[in-house]
């Protein structure tokens, strides 16, 4: 039995506005048995409160303290490594607010740091400005490199698709904060106050969720409800420790 869980949101708890079968039951079981968990999401478009509110409206029994987003991890990274610097941000207002609270000055012009999170109002000019700044020597930070994510309508472009434009234009690679990199995992484990051998990472996306566990040395549970289908999982050289169709199949007590 694992002492705690790190749980993905998009494709694991819900697809767009549709709750995935078994998701609520699983969270209810964790709550019932007082098993620690943290939602670990690459979604940088919402604040901690906004991401939690979405789950509450869907009927999940959760609190904001259970939520840890790539935007929160990005803000912590920036506070440590770039406090006091100017930042050009391609992303939502909530991401910009977190970055300002981390001690950076968000600007629309020249900047020492370029930060990219998913921006559903992205324009050519925003990508152009980000590219020119990065090419000119600005530090390059990406909340995540998810190329796509599931919605109730199908897959849509993720932040990685936008970041790729700047990468191709500048031949520069960003520091990646979110899954599957170590920054967000280490910060989440620190918050949970658990050793990694006692925690499992749950998710639908092999390249982000499962690779987070593989890269970080924690066990993984793949759910066949989102980005990576089971048939693709079975072809991987390094497979997740466990695979289920949905979380109703997973017992938290065994």
């Amino acid at each position: 039995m694992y002492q705690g869980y790190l749980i993905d949101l998009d494709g694991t708890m819900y697809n767009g506005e549709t709750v995935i079968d078994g998701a609520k039951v699983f969270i209810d079981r964790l709550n019932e048995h007082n098993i620690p968990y943290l939602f670990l999401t690459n979604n940088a478009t919402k604040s901690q409160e906004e991401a939690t509110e979405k789950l509450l409206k869907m009927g999940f029994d959760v609190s904001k303290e259970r939520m840890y987003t790539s935007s929160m991890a990005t803000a912590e990274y920036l506070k440590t490594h770039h406090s006091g610097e100017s930042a050009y941000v391609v992303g939502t207002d909530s991401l910009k607010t977190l970055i300002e609270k981390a001690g950076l000055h968000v600007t629309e012009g020249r900047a020492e740091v370029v930060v990219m999170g998913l921006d559903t109002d992205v324009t050519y000019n925003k990508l152009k400005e980000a590219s020119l700044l990065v090419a000119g020597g600005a530090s390059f930070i990406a909340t995540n490199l998810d190329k796509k994510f599931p919605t109730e309508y199908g897959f849509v472009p993720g932040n990685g698709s936008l970041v790729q434009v700047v990468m191709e234009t500048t031949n520069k690679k960003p520091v990646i904060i979110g899954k599957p990199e170590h920054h967000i995992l280490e910060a989440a484990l620190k918050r949970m106050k658990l050793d990694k051998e006692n925690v499992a990472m749950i998710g639908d996306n092999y390249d982000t969720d499962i690779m987070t566990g593989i890269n970080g040395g924690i066990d993984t549970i793949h759910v066949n409800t989102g980005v990576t289908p089971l048939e693709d999982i079975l072809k991987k050289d390094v497979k997740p420790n466990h695979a289920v169709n949905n979380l109703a199949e997973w017992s938290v007590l065994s």
Side-chain angles (χ1 to χ4, degrees):
M1 181 181 74
Y2 295 107
Q3 295 179 16
Y5 293 90
L6 297 171
I7 309 167
D8 176 54
L9 286 179
D10 291 288
T12 302
M13 292 289 102
Y14 53 73
N15 283 322
E17 301 300 323
T18 303
V19 177
I20 291 172
D21 289 344
K24 286 183 188 177
V25 171
F26 178 70
I27 298 302
D28 287 343
R29 288 173 182 166
L30 295 180
N31 291 334
E32 178 185 356
H33 297 288
N34 295 312
I35 298 173
Y37 63 94
L38 199 63
F39 293 110
L40 194 65
T41 176
N42 271 355
N43 189 331
T45 64
K46 299 180 185 297
S47 67
Q48 183 184 36
E49 292 79 10
E50 289 169 339
T52 305
E53 183 63 23
K54 178 170 182 174
L55 288 174
L56 290 171
K57 288 181 178 179
M58 289 179 163
F60 287 89
D61 181 13
V62 296
S63 65
K64 72 174 185 178
E65 289 73 25
R66 301 286 193 185
M67 186 68 62
Y68 195 66
T69 70
S70 64
S71 57
M72 294 167 65
T74 298
E76 291 191 26
Y77 177 87
L78 291 169
K79 184 176 181 179
T80 300
H81 298 281
H82 296 280
S83 182
E85 296 183 10
S86 56
Y88 182 81
V89 182
V90 179
T92 61
D93 289 341
S94 62
L95 176 60
K96 293 176 182 177
T97 297
L98 279 175
I99 290 173
E100 288 179 331
K101 289 181 178 178
L104 285 80
H105 173 62
V106 174
T107 177
E108 295 298 323
R110 295 181 60 84
E112 297 161 282
V113 185
V114 170
V115 183
M116 291 191 67
L118 180 61
D119 185 347
T120 56
D121 294 320
V122 71
T123 64
Y124 178 84
N125 282 337
K126 289 181 181 180
L127 295 174
K128 179 183 73 173
E129 186 67 24
S131 297
L132 291 172
L133 288 168
V134 170
S139 299
F140 188 15
I141 313 292
T143 60
N144 65 84
L145 284 186
D146 291 25
K147 294 180 181 179
K148 62 182 179 180
F149 62 92
T151 72
E152 64 269 36
Y153 307 109
F155 289 104
V156 297
N159 188 51
S161 297
L162 305 180
V163 173
Q164 191 67 37
V165 173
V166 178
M167 291 173 62
E168 292 289 343
T169 304
T170 63
N171 291 319
K172 300 287 182 68
K173 294 183 178 180
V175 173
I176 306 161
I177 304 300
K179 298 177 290 185
E181 301 302 320
H182 64 92
H183 299 291
I184 192 170
L185 177 62
E186 290 170 359
L189 290 172
K190 185 177 180 180
R191 285 189 172 225
M192 293 185 76
K193 299 180 180 179
L194 289 174
D195 295 328
K196 61 184 180 180
E197 58 264 26
N198 297 317
V199 177
M201 176 73 217
I202 301 173
D204 65 294
N205 188 326
Y206 183 89
D207 292 332
T208 54
D209 306 317
I210 304 306
M211 284 306 301
T212 295
I214 292 171
N215 291 339
I218 68 172
D219 283 2
T220 54
I221 303 169
H222 172 261
V223 286
N224 193 32
T225 54
V227 172
T228 311
L230 180 60
E231 55 263 32
D232 289 354
I233 289 291
L234 297 176
K235 299 174 186 176
K236 299 293 185 181
D237 291 334
V238 182
K239 297 177 177 60
N241 298 92
H242 312 278
V244 294
N245 287 314
N246 65 58
L247 287 170
E249 299 179 0
W250 183 260
S251 172
V252 300
L253 299 179
S254 62

